[in-house]
Amino acid sequence: MKKVLFGLLVLGAIMLAACGGGAEEAVTFDPVPAEFAGMTSPLGADAATSGKDVFTTNCESCHGPQGHGDGPAGAALDPQPKNLPEIAAQVGDDYLFWRIATGKPGTSMVAWKGVLTDEQIWQAVAYIRTLK
Ligand code: HEC
């Protein structure tokens, strides 16, 4: 059993090494701080409808209409916005809420808390979940 596990680990390491430097870098996500961890949306199923307005007005210029990082204002940024639907598929709502509320240090992603209400941030989260 141990040998099998070890084999799997080695295989995993080789695959990771093989992928590194490729087009698709292995992404790691910062842990969600305790004050945000486990938060869930208080809103209902229709939140995404309002979220579309929030996103179009505040986020689309950088993130692009489908969140693919291809907004006109995003092109000149370093780092450029990444693919939001891909990120969303790998993280929880608490992560998305935290990032939108507090921003991402070292990038042009500012903190939206104070600009948007908590409700609007949750609406944006719901809308991001509908993007592909
Ligand atoms: C000025 C351009 C700009 C605007 C406007 C903007 N963002 Fe961002 N956003 C970025 C950049 C750049 C990043 C960092 C890219 C990265 O490293 O993932 C980012 C990161 C994020 C992340 C985290 C992705 C990650 O890797 O953890 C989320 C979620 C996000 N943005 C959502 C939004 C939402 C929702 C709005 C609107 C309320 C918004 N952004 C507005 C530029 C922008």
Side-chain angles (χ1 to χ4, degrees):
M1 188 59 199
K2 276 217 171 107
K3 268 191 181 154
V4 174
L5 269 179
F6 182 72
L8 280 175
L9 273 177
V10 170
L11 195 73
I14 291 170
M15 281 168 67
L16 270 179
C19 292
E24 202 109 11
E25 278 174 52
V27 196
T28 52
F29 294 98
D30 295 336
V32 181
E35 42 180 322
F36 290 92
M39 282 176 89
T40 53
S41 175
L43 305 181
D46 57 347
T49 313
S50 322
K52 187 179 193 323
D53 290 337
V54 175
F55 193 88
T56 308
T57 310
N58 303 283
C59 325
E60 189 179 307
S61 58
C62 291
H63 284 281
Q66 293 296 312
H68 293 172
D70 52 355
L77 300 177
D78 181 22
Q80 289 186 3
K82 297 189 185 122
N83 188 311
L84 270 184
E86 259 173 32
I87 289 168
Q90 297 170 67
V91 298
D93 282 358
D94 54 351
Y95 179 95
L96 293 173
F97 183 91
W98 163 57
R99 272 299 187 220
I100 299 165
T102 66
K104 189 168 182 186
T107 78
S108 322
M109 177 65 185
V110 297
W112 289 89
K113 208 173 171 56
V115 181
L116 301 176
T117 63
D118 281 9
E119 189 179 14
Q120 285 174 311
I121 296 177
W122 281 122
Q123 288 167 343
V125 168
Y127 181 64
I128 290 170
R129 289 272 178 230
T130 69
L131 299 174
K132 292 191 176 74

